[in-house]
């Protein structure tokens, strides 16, 4: 049995070696790892560790490469291969002194080895450069701080330059360490304490460099500056300073969180840190800032945004939600304080138009992060207690705050909103306050009613009581701000039929009247933006109706007013704008009813959904054109740019749907790119819901297929497009998405070696190969064409020679297929492979007995393109190897070539 096991480990090692030679480093790593689990012999294990180190170096995981090489060296201190690999890993990890000592050991063991000598020389000179830079940086750092802290220095340009130099220096690891060691934190603290905006900005941006990705430095800086001071800077009136502080805190959170998730090796081992205490300390100060009366309104918004980004788990795979539980326990009431703020009431916290929306998003994220009923129950109880505390025993202002809290929860975790809506007296209070004479009170109540109509289990109760009430308000109120909200409530309750033409809740024509009124309000500059936002909310519901869509796209002023709002400071309008555009472009999911079920439904006299005649494709195309002319793309690009909680995943998905509809027609794509659409689609394709990411990736593919990719995505941007396009090749995507992904990648692969390397790195080649076997001929063709362009890369050429692979055989056979386009792609690939990688010429006769007749058929084809490709392949094979040339000459090939050589029409 022992012998049998030995053979298995050896076989696995041999397999790993073959895979490594073929360039499949991931698979080689897996083979060596499996061999390790079967091997007991120390010498055998040392070799496997050494081999794994080589794999990790290729895969750029230098920490693991160092660990594996170290294990091999522990077994045999004279193992030069392992020593050399460890020195390469240490060099990449920035530990140059240790890398040098490993290389010196290699040279002393093999003094004649040129590679070792060369590596040692190169490393020595790079260390020398580093030391030189360090000593020159020393004096620079002191100089910069002197200029900045000198109160008598009047030269503003000089100060500006010193600040810029400091920020740039802090971005490099050596510079950051230098500033840190030269008492920099204390000096930066002095800059913060000057309370001068430009100096504070310089200090905050320098601190970002010091903390970025460095846990122990972050901990030390936090201890020296104090969480309270950082939170205070976040709450200042100056918007840019507050935003810079927000950015710094985000970087600090990331560095501390790294510490929770990753065990550090090497230089940070000396300091064992517990980051959770620091994290909680920072979060505690952020929660306190929310209710601090002296804090600015945008400071409060920045604190909410930070909490949204750092508290909830990033993905359900992480099991630990203790941070969310701690925040709910310590700070839910503080968060609700912001959500319950009634604007314009004396003594209320300063908030912006975005604060309520941000609070709803944060509450939603915390609630979604809970894992069991007991945790959710606790959340509900805290919310109910908070609402009761305002509703009972306080006069009218308390009741208003309670109702505002209900609105905030209904817009966030609606389960919690429904629970508090059902508390005794709340709903009655909402209904009675809707008739209040005070505008501010009536606003709060009408908004609560609208949010309730959207989410409540008691929507039927609201439909019964609310519709009449809202109609009364709409008809008789003196105030536009109230009428507009009442109208939105009516729209919400009236659009229950969705896009179904036959389920209309309103009398015919009234939808059109309401929409006209919404457009009028939207265009009225005299009304405040907050109220005009509600007009867009109304249209988001009314545009389910195709007649409303048609009228909206004819009203250029209304479209532009909406785009203008989308670009404004008030971000809570984003979702409504995106919904309206999804409706106008019909980019929502269509359910195609099953014909048999339709017959049954007619027979049973059931309701059958009908499509509006104006939702047919020619109408939709016309609407898209009109939106494009009105400037929809720049509005969408502006919406995507906003780093704001209102840009939720579902909002991103809506924007992606609209973009996909806008690039449907090839002739519109150039215009979409020119107005910034290409740039905006990249972030949409990289984060958000899966549907949203896929729609954005598909839009990118359409642009890449029909326009010059280097013009559409200039500079570095073209490399960012690769990952979204590769995501379209996954098996769960539709055939059309696969096809468009392949076509787009074909275009990119033809541009440059750097792009092909990026495609290889994203592991696309095995997927492209998979689609070469696809039954659908268009997909099979697209995959073969893509492979043809990828074959310009050395790594891909090597794959065609890999042992046990049928890649080359498939290409030769496809060159003899009936489908002319497929033959063209496959024979083009062969022409390129045989020219660029001559060893392939020798292999062609070995892969199939039909190789000669396939090449002859190409030369005798009526298509000049196929004849040309065939001739190139034969020429390359003749030049490559004598035995192949002999086989070709022995066949009828010479006669065929002689005939073709005389053909005057085919130069």
């Amino acid at each position: 049995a022992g012998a049998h096991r030995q053979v298995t480990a050896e076989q696995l090692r041999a397999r790993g070696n073959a895979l490594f030679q073929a360039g499949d480093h991931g698979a080689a790593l897996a083979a060596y790892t499996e061999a390790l689990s079967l091997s007991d012999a120390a010498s055998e294990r040392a070799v496997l560790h050494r081999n794994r180190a080589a794999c990790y170096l290729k895969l750029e995981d230098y920490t693991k490469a160092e660990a594996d090489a170290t294990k091999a060296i522990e077994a045999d201190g004279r193992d030069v291969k392992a020593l050399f690999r460890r020195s390469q890993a240490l060099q990449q990890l920035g530990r140059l002194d240790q890398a040098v000592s490993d290389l010196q050991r290699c040279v002393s063991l093999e003094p004649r080895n040129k590679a070792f000598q060369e590596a040692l020389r190169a490393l020595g000179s790079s260390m020398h450069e580093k030391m030189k830079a360090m000593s020159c940086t020393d004096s620079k750092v002191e100089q910069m701080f002197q200029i900045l802290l000198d109160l008598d220095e009047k030269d503003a340009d000089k100060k500006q330059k010193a600040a810029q130099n400091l920020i740039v220096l802090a971005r490099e690891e050596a510079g950051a360490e230098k500033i840190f060691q030269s008492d920099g934190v204390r000096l930066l603290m002095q800059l913060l304490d000057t309370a001068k905006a430009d100096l504070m900005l310089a200090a905050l941006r320098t601190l970002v460099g010091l903390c970025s990705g460095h846990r122990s430095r972050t901990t030390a800086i936090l201890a020296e500056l104090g969480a309270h001071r950082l939170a205070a800077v976040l709450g200042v009136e100056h918007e840019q300073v507050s935003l810079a502080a927000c950015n710094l805190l985000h970087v600090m959170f990331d560095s501390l969180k790294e510490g929770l998730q990753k065990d550090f090796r090497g230089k940070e081992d000396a300091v064992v840190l517990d980051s959770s205490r620091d994290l909680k300390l920072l979060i505690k100060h952020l929660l306190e800032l929310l209710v601090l009366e002296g804090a600015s309104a945008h400071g409060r918004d920045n604190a909410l945004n930070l909490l949204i980004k750092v508290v909830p788990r990033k993905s359900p795979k992480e099991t630990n939600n203790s941070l969310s539980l701690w925040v709910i326990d310590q700070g839910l009431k503080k968060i609700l304080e912001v959500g319950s703020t009634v604007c314009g009431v004396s003594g209320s916290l300063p908030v912006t138009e975005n604060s309520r929306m941000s609070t709803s998003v944060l509450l939603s994220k915390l609630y979604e992060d809970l894992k069991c009923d007991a945790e959710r129950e606790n959340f509900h109880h805290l919310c109910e207690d908070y609402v009761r505390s305002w509703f009972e025993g306080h006069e009218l202002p308390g009741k208003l705050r309670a109702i505002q809290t209900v609105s905030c929860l209904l817009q966030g975790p609606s389960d919690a909103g429904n629970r508090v809506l059902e508390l005794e007296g709340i709903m009655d209070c909402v209904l009675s306050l809707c008739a209040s004479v005070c505008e501010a009170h009536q606003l709060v109540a009408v908004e609560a009613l609208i949010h309730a109509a959207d989410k409540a289990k008691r929507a039927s109760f609201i439909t019964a009581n609310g519709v009449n009430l809202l109609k009364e308000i709409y008809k008789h109120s003196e105030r536009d701000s109230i009428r507009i909200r009442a109208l939105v409530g009516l729209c919400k309750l009236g659009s229950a039929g969705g896009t179904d033409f036959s389920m209309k809740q309103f009398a015919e024509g009234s939808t059109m009247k309401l929409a006209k009124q919404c457009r009028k309000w939207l265009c009225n500059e005299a009304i405040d933006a907050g109220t005009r936002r509600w007009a867009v909310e109304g249209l988001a519901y009314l545009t389910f109706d195709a007649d409303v869509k048609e009228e909206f796209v004819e009203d250029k002023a209304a479209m532009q007013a909406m785009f203008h709002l989308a670009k404004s400071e008030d971000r809570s309008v984003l979702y409504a704008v995106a919904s309206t555009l999804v409706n106008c472009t019909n980019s929502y999911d269509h359910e195609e009813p099953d014909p048999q079920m339709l017959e049954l439904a007619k027979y049973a006299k059931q309701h059958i959904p009908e499509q509006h005649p104006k939702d047919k494709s020619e109408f939709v195309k016309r609407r898209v054109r009109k939106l494009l002319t009105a400037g929809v793309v720049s509005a969408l690009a502006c919406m995507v740019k906003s780093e704001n909680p209102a840009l939720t995943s579902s909002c991103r998905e809506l924007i992606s749907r609209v973009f996909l509809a806008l690039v449907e027609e090839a002739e519109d794509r150039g215009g979409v790119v020119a107005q910034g659409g290409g740039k905006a689609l990249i972030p949409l394709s990289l984060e958000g819901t899966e549907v949203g990411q896929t729609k954005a990736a598909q839009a990118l593919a359409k642009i890449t297929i029909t326009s010059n990719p280097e013009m559409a995505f200039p500079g570095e941007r073209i490399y960012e497009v690769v990952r979204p396009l590769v995501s379209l090749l996954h098996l769960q995507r539709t055939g059309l998405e696969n096809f468009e992904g392949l076509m787009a990648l074909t275009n990119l692969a033809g541009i440059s070696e750097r792009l092909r390397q990026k495609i290889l790195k994203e592991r696309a080649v095995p997927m492209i190969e998979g689609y070469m076997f696809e039954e659908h001929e268009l997909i099979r063709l697209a995959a073969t064409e893509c492979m043809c362009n990828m074959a310009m890369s050395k790594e891909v050429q090597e794959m065609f020679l890999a042992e046990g692979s049928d890649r080359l055989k498939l290409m030769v056979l496809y060159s003899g297929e009936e489908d002319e386009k497929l033959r063209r792609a496959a024979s083009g690939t062969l022409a390129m492979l045989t020219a660029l990688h001559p060893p392939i010429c020798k292999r062609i006769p070995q892969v199939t007995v039909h190789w000669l007749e396939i090449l002859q058929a190409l030369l005798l084809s009526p298509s000049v393109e196929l004849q040309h490709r065939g001739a190139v392949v034969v020429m390359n094979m003749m030049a490559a190897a004598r035995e192949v040339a002999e086989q070709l000459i022995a066949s009828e090939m010479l006669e065929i070539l002689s005939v073709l050589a005389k053909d005057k029409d085919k130069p």
Side-chain angles (χ1 to χ4, degrees):
H4 175 69
R5 275 176 61 182
Q6 206 52 41
V7 171
T8 327
E10 272 176 30
Q11 280 174 337
L12 282 164
R13 183 174 131 200
R15 187 192 306 165
N17 293 348
L19 287 163
F20 189 89
Q21 290 302 324
D24 194 344
H25 305 120
L29 177 65
Y32 294 140
T33 306
E34 199 181 331
L36 263 173
S37 68
L38 297 174
S39 169
D40 302 329
S43 60
E44 173 77 26
R45 291 180 69 80
V47 172
L48 288 166
H49 280 300
R50 184 175 77 193
N51 291 359
R52 278 207 327 182
C55 294
Y56 281 127
L57 282 172
K58 289 285 189 194
L59 296 166
E60 295 179 15
D61 188 340
Y62 303 116
T63 311
K64 288 188 177 153
E66 183 221 347
D68 263 321
T70 302
K71 284 184 181 151
I73 295 161
E74 281 164 5
D76 174 9
R78 301 174 66 80
D79 184 340
V80 282
K81 279 188 182 171
L83 281 161
F84 186 62
R85 279 169 199 168
R86 185 167 74 175
S87 77
Q88 288 176 293
L90 289 164
Q91 200 172 337
Q92 294 292 344
L93 291 166
R95 286 146 62 189
L96 302 186
D97 42 349
Q98 290 166 283
V100 165
S101 74
D102 275 354
L103 270 176
Q104 284 168 336
R105 181 118 179 87
C106 289
V107 172
S108 68
L109 288 167
E110 288 190 14
R112 290 209 164 140
N113 188 321
K114 285 277 196 316
F116 294 162
Q117 292 169 4
E118 194 44 54
L120 189 59
R121 196 174 304 120
L123 189 55
S125 68
S126 82
M127 275 189 76
H128 178 67
E129 285 299 309
K130 198 170 172 181
M131 296 310 289
K132 217 166 79 178
M134 289 291 269
S135 59
C136 133
T137 330
D138 272 7
S139 53
K140 258 198 205 153
V141 172
E142 284 161 34
Q143 221 179 342
M144 287 184 258
F145 276 119
Q146 266 172 356
I147 296 169
L148 289 171
L149 289 166
D150 181 0
L151 298 174
D152 304 324
E153 178 62 71
K154 293 286 181 278
D155 185 348
D157 280 351
K158 196 169 167 187
K159 281 201 161 180
Q160 180 69 36
K161 202 158 190 185
Q164 202 46 47
N165 286 341
L166 201 57
I167 296 165
V168 170
L169 189 63
R171 285 184 194 145
E172 291 293 325
E173 174 52 36
E177 191 55 33
K178 200 63 246 162
I179 296 171
F180 184 68
Q181 298 297 351
S182 332
D183 197 17
V185 181
R186 189 182 58 80
L187 296 167
L188 289 166
M189 194 148 72
Q190 287 181 17
L191 287 178
L192 282 178
D193 290 343
T194 59
K196 288 190 174 153
D198 50 345
L199 295 180
M200 291 175 84
L201 284 170
L204 292 165
R205 288 169 184 160
T206 305
L207 284 165
V208 165
L210 296 188
C211 295
S212 211
H214 203 296
R215 181 175 155 215
S216 56
R217 260 203 311 254
T218 303
T219 310
I221 288 169
L222 184 58
E224 196 163 339
L225 287 179
H228 61 92
R229 180 187 260 112
L230 288 167
V233 178
L234 188 66
V236 298
E237 280 301 333
H238 194 286
E239 279 192 46
Q240 261 186 309
V241 172
S242 175
L243 199 61
C246 177
N247 190 20
L248 169 61
L249 283 163
H250 195 191
V251 166
M252 293 179 94
F253 275 116
D254 281 350
S255 301
L256 293 170
K257 272 195 152 174
E258 278 292 273
L260 288 181
Q261 287 152 6
K262 172 164 137 195
D263 55 334
F264 271 86
R265 308 179 70 95
K267 62 180 170 185
E268 296 209 3
D269 256 354
V271 213
V272 177
L273 307 157
D274 175 23
S275 305
S276 62
R277 206 185 67 231
D278 287 328
L279 277 172
K280 285 182 175 171
L281 183 68
L282 276 176
I283 290 172
K284 180 169 159 276
H285 282 285
L286 286 181
L287 292 167
E288 280 167 10
L289 181 78
L290 294 180
V291 291
L292 192 70
E293 284 183 3
S296 65
H298 44 258
R300 197 165 273 108
D301 279 4
N302 286 334
L304 287 166
N305 295 357
L306 266 172
L307 291 166
I308 289 169
K309 283 177 186 159
V310 301
V311 175
R313 291 171 293 170
K314 287 277 183 288
S315 83
K317 288 192 191 98
E318 293 172 37
T319 49
N320 182 359
N321 68 345
S322 60
L323 210 48
S324 287
L325 295 176
W326 185 81
V327 167
I328 289 168
D329 191 41
Q330 297 285 315
L332 188 62
K333 299 255 163 96
K334 295 187 172 89
I335 297 166
L336 290 171
E337 279 291 292
V338 183
S340 70
T341 299
V342 179
C343 295
V345 175
S346 63
S348 62
L349 292 171
V351 290
T352 71
E353 57 271 278
N354 292 315
S355 307
R356 281 256 305 285
M357 185 70 184
S358 300
T359 308
S360 292
V361 172
L362 174 57
L363 290 165
S364 227
K365 296 251 183 200
L366 290 171
Y367 187 75
E368 284 162 15
D369 208 30
L370 301 177
K371 292 197 290 197
C372 62
D373 289 346
E375 292 175 358
R376 288 183 202 100
E377 254 334 284
N378 176 47
F379 188 94
H380 289 313
H381 282 310
L382 289 168
C383 292
E384 286 169 4
D385 289 348
Y386 182 81
V387 171
R388 272 202 209 95
S389 73
W390 278 114
F391 194 70
E392 295 161 9
H394 286 271
E395 291 304 303
L396 187 59
K399 292 197 168 26
L400 285 170
R401 289 201 65 166
I403 291 171
Q404 192 78 305
T405 311
V406 175
S407 274
C408 184
L409 286 165
L410 281 167
Q411 279 181 284
S414 51
D415 288 352
N418 277 324
R419 284 277 290 262
V420 288
L421 197 59
E422 286 168 9
L423 290 176
E424 199 178 333
I426 294 276
M427 200 64 213
D428 299 333
C429 184
V430 170
L431 293 172
S432 65
L433 275 172
C434 279
S436 167
V437 288
C438 166
E439 179 174 9
H441 301 173
Q442 200 179 7
L443 276 181
V444 171
V446 172
E447 285 191 17
L449 188 63
I450 295 170
H451 294 311
D454 205 17
K455 301 283 192 326
K457 298 175 189 154
R458 304 169 59 181
S460 53
F461 161 77
I462 292 171
T463 314
N465 298 278
V467 169
N468 295 331
L469 181 67
L470 290 170
K471 277 186 180 164
E472 282 305 300
I473 295 173
Y474 178 60
K475 283 185 190 139
H476 302 301
S477 174
E478 303 288 301
R479 310 185 188 105
D480 275 347
S481 59
I482 299 288
R483 290 186 64 211
I484 207 164
R485 286 164 171 79
L487 170 69
V488 174
L490 288 170
C491 299
K492 280 194 175 186
L493 295 169
S495 68
T499 54
D500 178 0
F501 180 44
S502 51
M503 283 276 286
K504 276 292 155 256
Q505 301 233 345
F506 289 151
E508 274 310 311
S510 66
T511 316
M512 301 297 287
K513 264 192 229 137
L514 294 175
K516 193 171 176 186
Q517 186 58 57
C518 277
R519 298 203 312 272
K520 207 165 101 187
W521 274 322
L522 180 58
C523 297
N524 184 348
E525 298 276 335
I527 303 177
D528 68 291
T531 299
R532 284 164 60 216
R533 183 191 102 216
W534 282 93
V536 186
E537 292 269 351
L539 287 168
Y541 286 90
L542 295 168
T543 46
F544 278 130
D545 183 311
D547 289 312
V548 175
K549 303 178 200 189
E550 285 295 315
E551 282 203 355
F552 179 67
V553 298
E554 291 303 331
D555 186 342
K556 205 162 177 189
M559 285 193 286
Q560 283 172 339
M562 181 171 88
F563 298 157
H564 193 68
L565 270 182
K567 297 176 184 179
S568 70
E569 284 300 300
D570 180 358
R571 286 305 184 195
S572 43
V573 74
L574 293 183
Y575 195 83
V577 173
S579 303
T580 307
L581 291 170
V582 163
N583 290 341
C584 289
T585 55
N586 285 38
S587 47
Y588 37 74
D589 289 327
H590 304 279
E591 293 253 330
E592 290 298 328
D594 175 7
Q596 277 180 312
M597 295 309 287
L598 277 182
E599 287 309 309
L600 284 174
K602 275 184 194 157
Y603 178 72
K605 296 197 166 50
Q606 281 175 348
H607 168 68
I608 301 164
E610 292 174 37
Q611 192 195 27
H612 194 295
K614 288 183 184 167
D615 274 330
K616 293 203 165 69
S617 69
E618 63 267 27
F619 283 94
V620 178
K621 268 184 207 167
R622 266 209 305 273
R623 289 202 288 267
V624 166
R625 283 280 150 79
K626 292 200 164 122
L627 285 166
L628 284 168
T629 317
V632 65
V633 177
S634 64
L636 290 171
C638 194
M639 287 159 74
V640 174
K641 256 195 240 142
S642 86
E643 255 298 305
N644 190 282
L647 193 67
T648 53
S649 300
S650 46
C651 187
R652 296 172 82 97
E653 180 186 314
L654 294 178
I655 296 173
S656 301
R657 285 173 180 276
V658 177
F659 265 127
L660 184 55
L662 296 176
V663 297
E664 189 53 47
E665 299 296 315
E667 59 266 35
D668 296 333
R669 292 170 196 167
V672 170
V673 170
Q675 290 170 39
K679 184 180 178 182
L681 278 164
I682 294 172
L684 289 172
S685 66
L686 295 172
E687 60 174 301
T689 64
E690 192 165 343
V691 174
Q693 288 183 317
T694 306
K695 301 263 181 206
Q698 204 184 347
L700 284 170
K702 285 180 189 290
I703 290 170
T704 311
I705 291 167
T706 52
S707 52
N708 173 355
E710 290 174 285
M711 303 280 279
F713 308 106
E716 289 297 302
R717 202 174 298 152
I718 195 165
Y719 302 99
E720 295 173 38
V721 180
V722 173
R723 180 170 299 165
L725 295 180
V726 173
S727 75
L728 293 174
L729 304 187
H730 292 163
L731 289 173
Q732 66 268 40
R733 302 279 169 265
T734 64
L736 178 64
E737 288 160 357
N738 298 155
F739 175 67
E740 292 186 326
L742 288 164
M743 297 255 292
L745 286 168
T746 305
N747 259 359
L748 292 185
I751 291 174
S752 72
E753 180 56 29
R754 192 176 154 201
L755 272 165
R756 289 190 286 278
Q757 285 300 326
K758 177 78 176 146
I759 295 171
L760 274 162
K761 206 169 176 183
E762 292 292 341
R763 308 212 170 100
V765 173
M767 291 191 271
I768 298 168
E769 283 189 331
Y771 287 113
M772 286 176 66
F773 292 95
E774 180 72 37
E775 279 178 31
H776 197 295
E777 65 267 19
L778 281 175
I779 294 181
R780 192 171 58 206
L781 170 66
T784 309
E785 286 178 340
C786 191
M787 206 53 178
C788 178
N789 280 352
M790 286 302 292
M792 288 189 260
S793 269
K794 195 100 182 104
E795 284 97 318
V796 179
Q797 295 156 20
E798 295 289 348
M799 288 177 183
F800 280 90
L801 286 174
E803 283 300 327
S805 128
D806 284 338
R807 294 183 181 100
L808 189 58
K809 180 178 183 175
L810 187 68
M811 276 300 172
V812 176
L813 293 175
Y814 274 2
S815 301
E817 279 281 315
E818 282 172 24
D819 175 358
E820 189 179 319
K821 283 183 176 166
L822 183 63
R823 280 180 84 184
R824 212 181 314 165
S827 54
T829 312
L830 283 184
M832 189 136 62
L833 286 170
T834 51
L836 295 173
H837 204 53
I840 286 179
C841 299
K842 282 197 210 171
R843 281 291 284 282
I844 289 177
Q846 296 162 21
V847 291
T848 165
V849 289
H850 305 294
W851 68 281
L852 257 175
E853 55 193 270
I854 288 172
L855 288 179
Q856 287 173 359
L858 283 173
L859 288 167
L860 295 170
S861 156
S863 149
V864 181
E865 286 190 344
L866 289 178
Q867 286 183 306
H868 183 208
R869 285 164 168 74
V872 171
V873 175
V874 174
M875 178 175 78
N876 293 335
M877 289 177 72
M878 286 295 295
R882 186 183 177 94
E883 66 268 28
V884 179
E886 281 172 350
Q887 282 175 283
L888 284 165
I889 292 297
S891 69
E892 292 103 71
M893 196 57 86
L894 194 58
E895 293 162 46
I896 297 172
L897 289 169
S898 322
V899 174
L900 289 179
K902 296 188 184 111
D903 195 334
K904 296 272 190 299
D905 299 335
K906 299 174 183 172

